[in-house]
Amino acid sequence: VRTLLGVMSSPVPASVRMRTQWRQWASMFNETGHTVDVRFVVGSSAYVHGRTPRHRQEPPAAVSVEHGTHDDFVVVDGREKLPHVGKVTEKSAAWWLNIEKEQPGYAFYCKCDDDTLVHLDRLHQMLNFVQRARGADAAVYLGHIKWRGWDVGHRFQACGGGWGPAKKTGDDIAYGGDLPDGKRYPPCPHAAGPYPYMSGGMVCMSRRMVRILAADAAFIDFVSAARRRNTGGTACSFPVQCAAQPVATHMWHHEDAGIGFNVFRA
């Protein structure tokens, strides 16, 4: 079972140390014949307010020397430095939309953050077990499971759940739930769910699941609408601040919950 693991990274200087640490870690825990290929995922352009980006395939200049040395970057059609807390939403969406077509031949495609150190041998063993148990053509979505509700209709807002089982999420959707400051948010009349999603720190999909998601017209429209919102969006630095934006301009900042909702729907 061959696996491609995309590590969400950034061209900023602070990320160089993270990638160095990642390469050292990978060399210590990859004794299974290098069946897990690790690539650092960077965006094709940087966010500029009001400007529609132009996609390019070569790595940004800030990582070109590093790429020449290690040859372990993948450039996706997503922007760096988005103006809200959903920093990797465009890169994550672009990864799932295009990676199987651009990097064929893998049984599983995975995504993690650059502060998540993955034990590659254990990942290989687990995915081999999953494929034996479910079959090579199964649609598999795998990771650290949570439950959520999602406001449909391009509201780009998770509502209900987070931590806790499906029943708690259903109750949150129907009756409202608790906020960290001790207050409560109201019921979620526009929410689909409860649905299971995988925490964005580490998630895998089988080739079949990636194909289903990438071909889903609703997901393609979801990503397109999110990119338009980002282009003209108002900067927001905290989740509560971002969530308070008007529905018509609300940007997608729950990356993992948004991907999970689209997997659930597709």
Side-chain angles (χ1 to χ4, degrees):
V1 173
R2 293 189 64 219
T3 300
L4 181 63
L5 171 60
V7 182
M8 297 291 134
S9 193
S10 170
V12 300
S15 293
V16 177
R17 182 179 178 185
M18 302 289 282
R19 290 192 290 271
T20 299
Q21 177 178 271
W22 233 107
R23 293 185 185 105
Q24 292 171 344
W25 175 272
S27 67
M28 294 166 59
F29 298 101
N30 197 6
E31 298 180 357
T32 52
H34 298 281
T35 56
V36 180
D37 293 334
V38 177
R39 300 290 182 267
F40 295 101
V41 182
V42 294
S44 57
S45 59
Y47 169 81
V48 178
H49 180 77
R51 182 183 298 176
T52 302
R54 233 177 18 164
H55 179 51
R56 63 176 188 269
Q57 289 291 341
E58 70 275 9
V63 298
S64 58
V65 174
E66 193 180 348
H67 178 64
T69 301
H70 299 281
D71 191 26
D72 57 0
F73 285 86
V74 168
V75 181
V76 296
D77 186 13
R79 283 173 283 189
E80 302 284 353
K81 302 180 180 179
L82 293 178
H84 54 88
V85 295
K87 297 297 183 186
V88 301
T89 51
E90 286 192 4
K91 292 194 295 184
S92 175
W95 171 261
W96 298 119
L97 273 174
N98 302 308
I99 195 60
E100 196 272 333
K101 296 186 288 287
E102 295 177 358
Q103 302 277 343
Y106 292 94
F108 288 92
Y109 294 85
C110 303
K111 168 259 167 184
C112 74
D113 297 333
D114 60 3
D115 59 357
T116 302
L117 296 176
V118 180
H119 194 305
L120 300 181
D121 288 328
R122 291 181 180 172
L123 177 64
H124 169 77
Q125 292 163 7
M126 178 181 67
L127 295 179
N128 267 272
F129 172 81
V130 170
Q131 188 174 87
R132 289 196 303 269
R134 305 293 295 174
D137 294 324
V140 175
Y141 176 46
L142 183 147
H144 179 197
I145 189 171
K146 301 181 183 179
W147 292 86
R148 210 60 158 122
W150 186 266
D151 281 349
V152 299
H154 291 339
R155 290 175 174 85
F156 295 105
Q157 175 66 40
C159 191
W163 295 101
K167 183 182 185 305
K168 177 188 180 302
T169 300
D171 289 344
D172 289 351
I173 292 172
Y175 310 116
D178 295 325
L179 292 171
D181 58 5
K183 298 179 181 178
R184 288 185 62 81
Y185 59 83
C188 310
H190 303 290
Y195 65 90
Y197 77 102
M198 306 305 162
S199 175
M202 177 65 205
V203 57
C204 294
M205 298 188 206
S206 65
R207 178 173 53 236
R208 175 65 177 155
M209 186 69 253
V210 171
R211 287 176 176 174
I212 290 172
L213 182 62
D216 182 58
F219 181 48
I220 295 169
D221 178 62
F222 178 97
V223 174
S224 178
R227 289 171 65 91
R228 290 194 301 270
R229 295 279 182 89
N230 286 340
T231 299
T234 302
C236 55
S237 301
F238 305 98
V240 174
Q241 180 188 16
C242 294
Q245 292 176 336
V247 170
T249 59
H250 194 287
M251 292 179 286
W252 172 27
H253 60 267
H254 296 277
E255 177 256 332
D256 46 3
I259 293 294
F261 167 67
N262 280 282
V263 169
F264 167 74
R265 179 179 56 192

